[in-house]
Amino acid sequence: MVKNGRHETSANGFIIHGRDKLTSFFNDYVVDIIAKPELYARMGIEFPGSILLHGAPGTGKTYAVKKLIDYLQWNEFYINSG
């Protein structure tokens, strides 16, 4: 495991400690598609338009997304629909 700037990486890429299934999901369906766009384009696979996470309050959904945004170095936008 290597500390690279603001995020941790391993041979598998993005890591959320203690959340192995979510880490695997993000690596397979987000990080890998971004890292290899030509490969996925040849297979007709596009980046997902959105991802819906569900679960009880306090289970780490927002934390996980913030870690992914940080890893990808994307901008973060807050939208209040109220």
Side-chain angles (χ1 to χ4, degrees), residues 13-52:
F14 173 71
I15 296 174
I16 302 173
H17 295 287
R19 302 296 303 266
D20 296 335
K21 288 182 181 180
L22 189 56
T23 295
S24 179
F25 174 83
F26 280 151
N27 277 311
D28 293 344
Y29 295 101
V30 179
V31 175
D32 200 48
I33 294 173
I34 292 170
K36 304 171 190 168
E38 302 86 20
L39 173 67
Y40 286 95
R42 280 186 273 149
M43 293 186 284
I45 299 172
E46 298 178 0
F47 185 75
S50 61
I51 297 171
L52 178 64

